[in-house]
Amino acid sequence: ASGPAALAAGADALRDALSKFPQVIVTNPEPVQAYFVNMEALQAIGNETGSERGFAHQRMDFAMIDALKPLTMGGTETWERNSGIGLAQVRYFAGMGMPPQMVSVWGLDSEATATGLIETLSEADFEPVDSTGVIGNGEPMHTNLQAREIGNPWRDELGRATFVGQSGDALVQSGIPDAVAFFLSGSETASDHAVVATSLASLAAITNAGMVVQAMLVSPTFGLRGAD
């Protein structure tokens, strides 16, 4: 695909992202229940516009996704060196929560890429947490300022550890291992919820010649706060 029009049409990536979230998030009373950014689309737009970063970073105004911070702060080259994969292998990022209790989903280009990244991390300093398939590189919520590095997606700004697990062609990431395990538990997904499924179908119908670049899943409380 050489441009935005050649990408997968409609809401396919968004639907895939929401299929990684447990359905219980739809009952979350917070105004925004999940965020989504289509990295394939942003990279295609960046190529069209000649972005020096390789993706249209200026299109990410409301992307409250923890996994995106190292990329936007450290730049693509640093992020790729630290992450263990190329940015072109990332289809989307999605996330939910507020610091420090945040969860990110890395939607990758194949299950093999996701498996390979888990293997790469396991060969580095990640170790199994328990029998749930979650691996991590330290103790949860333990500050380690010496380990922090701008552009490293596996450490936050305080050098705290991260925990990841594989969900098909995606990685689930959080500073809290139990949160990752819950996402991997195989419960009903957000994309299967009747309201979300109807919204996705409607969105796909109106974007069949285009793409969803960014999206938010919002609750009925959205707009009731002045900051929304």
Side-chain angles (χ1 to χ4, degrees):
S2 59
L7 294 174
D12 291 350
L14 176 59
R15 179 181 292 103
D16 184 66
L18 292 176
S19 75
K20 311 301 184 188
F21 285 77
Q23 193 171 112
V24 69
I25 73 162
V26 183
T27 64
N28 183 356
E30 287 295 316
V32 181
Q33 298 164 331
Y35 295 89
F36 165 84
V37 171
N38 187 330
M39 293 305 297
E40 281 186 315
L42 290 185
Q43 290 175 82
I45 294 170
N47 290 335
E48 292 285 321
T49 60
S51 170
E52 61 181 19
R53 296 197 185 189
F55 65 99
H57 62 281
Q58 71 276 13
R59 302 291 185 98
M60 299 162 60
D61 293 338
F62 61 79
M64 295 293 291
I65 301 173
D66 207 31
L68 278 169
K69 293 178 184 178
L71 176 60
T72 56
M73 294 178 65
T76 303
E77 184 176 342
T78 299
W79 182 89
E80 290 183 331
R81 183 176 67 250
N82 286 315
S83 70
I85 60 171
L87 186 58
Q89 294 172 282
V90 180
R91 295 177 57 216
Y92 63 79
F93 285 116
M96 64 168 293
M98 297 293 291
Q101 299 181 3
M102 303 181 76
V103 179
S104 298
V105 176
W106 299 41
L108 305 178
D109 59 5
S110 69
E111 187 169 342
T113 297
T115 299
L117 183 51
I118 288 288
E119 292 174 350
T120 296
L121 296 176
S122 297
E123 291 169 358
D125 58 347
F126 279 71
E127 297 180 350
V129 173
D130 48 34
S131 60
T132 62
V134 180
I135 60 174
N137 59 353
E139 296 295 323
M141 296 293 110
H142 175 69
T143 298
N144 182 0
L145 297 181
Q146 293 181 333
R148 63 181 178 176
E149 178 185 359
I150 293 176
N152 184 354
W154 311 124
R155 291 281 176 178
D156 70 6
E157 60 271 18
L158 296 178
R160 292 178 294 201
T162 197
F163 300 86
V164 299
Q166 183 177 353
S167 177
D169 59 358
L171 256 59
V172 179
Q173 176 189 20
S174 178
I176 304 171
D178 286 348
V180 178
F182 183 64
F183 268 62
L184 302 180
S185 64
S187 58
E188 291 184 298
T189 71
S191 62
D192 293 328
H193 188 277
V195 172
V196 176
T198 299
S199 299
L200 287 170
S202 299
L203 194 57
I206 64 174
T207 59
N208 61 356
M211 55 189 160
V212 177
V213 178
Q214 292 191 101
M216 295 187 297
L217 182 64
V218 300
S219 77
T221 65
F222 185 79
L224 298 182
R225 302 179 185 177
D228 291 345

